[in-house]
Amino acid sequence: MSHHYRINGSMLQQFNEKPVSIIGTVTKIHPSGNIIDLETSDKQHIVVRLSEHVDVNAGSIIEVLGNVDNRNQIVCDTIVTFEPEQTANFDMDMYNQAVMLFQHYPQDYLVNL
Amino acid sequence: MALWEQGGGSGFQQRKAGGENDANNAQRSSIKGVLTCTIATILNAKHSESDNCFIYKHLKFNTVMIMGLIREANHEVNGSLATYNIDDHSGGSIEIKWWHDDSGEPIKPLTYVKVVGQVKTFAGKSHVVAHHVSKMHSLNELIAHNIECIHASICIRKQGETSGMNMTKTTNNPGSTQQALTTSNGFTPAQNAVLNLLKTVTTMAGYSVTEICKQLKQFSENQVKQALEFLSGEGHIYSTTDDDHFRAASNN
């Protein structure tokens, strides 16, 4: 399990081919069930491709763990869902700021590269 | 294999596992307190025999607080040991051993948990013996934890830098109106002047407060009195014939 960078929508391009973690809100689930649209913490919309059908509800907040492909989509290997109480008061803006913070302090947010 | 059967010798032989749960060891370690950190920090740390703690870069620790996703969970059927493999996306996962009472349902994989426990190594691998495991209450808690990891690291790094660079300790006289200037031995100018004066004392009675004030005209009586109070509290001077006469504790 390698280090997953915590990113938002606008950072997708600079993390091409890298493992990432994104927390966002599910806006649309494609009829096939294998593709979902996610609204990220910086209000961008990204496409997440799942290897298998996962049970998510539109409007729920999830965490996507996967790799960015060259089409600026996420090829997802794990979806983490949460209980409603866990995301009830989630501060998406604060999370967005935190995401930038992790980029600024690589010598303090210690990871296995 | 039972403990006493290992090693082939007669009697009990202590294994050389680093950070082993030995009461003497734990007390010898000067690294107390809980470090909020990433799992990568623990995995990359080396155990130091001399410091009796784990070290990675500027971080030294024995007890940690981590938050991560359970990837694998194993609950003893008739026992109280739960073993989890948790991953916080910093690269790699770590095993958590938790001896718990029968409270609550076993926690399932793909749930985030917060763990506080001691880092141990065995057979070259690190794991955490948890004394606290709880499910994440809110996603905000996870984000706050990650920010705290950065904060802890920065604080510790700053502490290391200042103690290395200068040896001064800024002394703050409560209610004092004098500037917090420090001299090279950590005293304020008034304290330094009073102490140096008292070091020149030749009589058993020492100098009285009024005498000191007369000699040190650059300071107010209040400043002199506060300096005396500080110095005697720290043990650098002592009162002699009465509360108004002082001598220095040493003359060097």
Side-chain angles (χ1 to χ4, degrees):
Chain A
M1 201 114 3
S2 56
H3 161 53
H4 285 64
Y5 296 88
R6 282 212 162 74
I7 63 169
N8 58 20
S10 19
M11 294 158 74
L12 223 58
Q13 216 154 14
Q14 63 184 109
F15 286 88
N16 188 23
E17 316 264 299
K18 297 222 166 82
V20 295
S21 146
I22 303 192
I23 295 181
T25 316
V26 178
T27 50
K28 187 168 141 193
I29 306 166
H30 288 224
S32 65
N34 287 353
I35 301 186
I36 58 181
D37 284 346
L38 200 71
E39 187 188 72
T40 60
S41 52
D42 55 345
K43 312 272 196 290
Q44 307 266 315
H45 288 261
I46 64 174
V47 173
V48 177
R49 296 210 320 269
L50 316 171
S51 49
E52 48 186 31
H53 173 70
V54 173
D55 210 2
V56 291
N57 298 323
S60 62
I61 296 176
I62 61 171
E63 179 181 22
V64 172
L65 296 165
N67 281 58
V68 183
D69 74 7
N70 44 22
R71 281 185 292 169
N72 263 3
Q73 300 182 342
I74 310 277
V75 175
C76 165
D77 51 63
T78 313
I79 295 253
V80 185
T81 53
F82 304 104
E83 284 161 32
E85 310 85 67
Q86 291 175 316
T87 56
N89 294 313
F90 184 53
D91 193 336
M92 195 62 90
D93 288 329
M94 187 66 73
Y95 170 66
N96 198 43
Q97 287 183 52
V99 161
M100 324 272 215
L101 208 70
F102 301 142
Q103 297 306 311
H104 279 128
Y105 292 97
Q107 74 276 40
D108 293 298
Y109 191 69
L110 299 169
V111 298
N112 250 341
L113 288 168
Chain B
M1 190 199 287
L3 200 60
W4 55 87
E5 286 166 356
Q6 290 175 356
S10 60
F12 184 91
Q13 285 194 353
Q14 191 171 46
R15 291 168 298 161
K16 276 207 125 300
E20 189 172 325
N21 200 4
D22 175 325
N24 289 335
N25 260 352
Q27 278 159 10
R28 269 196 282 127
S29 172
S30 63
I31 306 300
K32 303 192 197 293
V34 182
L35 175 69
T36 305
C37 66
T38 60
I39 288 175
T41 305
I42 305 174
L43 295 176
N44 284 320
K46 300 263 182 325
H47 186 256
S48 153
E49 291 293 332
S50 50
D51 293 332
N52 197 30
C53 66
F54 290 85
I55 305 187
Y56 180 51
K57 300 196 181 204
H58 51 285
L59 303 173
K60 294 186 175 186
F61 53 92
N62 275 307
T63 312
V64 293
M65 176 156 78
I66 53 181
M67 239 181 127
L69 194 64
I70 296 183
R71 290 287 189 175
E72 274 174 46
N74 275 310
H75 298 97
E76 256 180 4
V77 176
N78 286 326
S80 57
L81 171 62
T83 308
Y84 300 115
N85 254 307
I86 72 168
D87 157 30
D88 66 354
H89 319 314
S90 64
S93 62
I94 196 166
E95 191 179 76
I96 309 292
K97 290 192 189 295
W98 184 36
W99 277 267
H100 59 99
D101 54 23
D102 277 317
S103 60
E105 286 184 19
I107 314 180
K108 295 191 288 217
L110 292 193
T111 27
Y112 272 101
V113 288
K114 177 172 264 177
V115 173
V116 183
Q118 289 226 295
V119 182
K120 304 284 177 198
T121 54
F122 183 60
K125 261 178 60 169
S126 298
H127 62 270
V128 175
V129 174
H131 54 74
H132 173 96
V133 174
S134 60
K135 258 175 74 166
M136 173 182 81
H137 300 117
S138 130
L139 205 46
N140 289 323
E141 193 187 338
L142 177 65
I143 310 307
H145 172 87
N146 288 315
I147 298 175
E148 223 176 275
C149 291
I150 300 181
H151 178 68
S153 171
I154 292 177
C155 285
I156 293 170
R157 212 153 29 81
K158 289 229 156 92
Q159 261 174 35
E161 281 163 20
T162 50
S163 68
M165 268 182 353
N166 59 18
M167 306 300 268
T168 61
K169 207 177 56 144
T170 46
T171 49
N172 237 340
N173 281 334
S176 158
T177 52
Q178 66 191 25
Q179 305 148 290
L181 291 174
T182 52
T183 58
S184 63
N185 57 2
F187 291 130
T188 63
Q191 292 163 356
N192 214 32
V194 169
L195 183 60
N196 285 332
L197 180 65
L198 288 176
K199 282 183 180 168
T200 66
V201 156
T202 47
T203 62
M204 287 310 293
Y207 291 141
S208 69
V209 180
T210 18
E211 277 165 353
I212 299 173
C213 289
K214 260 205 304 213
Q215 301 250 17
L216 301 177
K217 294 249 176 51
Q218 68 271 42
F219 298 108
S220 69
E221 190 183 323
N222 226 8
Q223 287 178 306
V224 169
K225 283 193 170 158
Q226 281 178 353
L228 287 168
E229 204 179 296
F230 172 77
L231 290 168
S232 67
E234 297 281 301
H236 300 292
I237 64 177
Y238 59 93
S239 54
T240 55
T241 51
D242 60 28
D243 282 343
D244 277 334
H245 286 76
F246 293 91
R247 273 180 60 110
S250 70
N251 280 339
N252 55 348

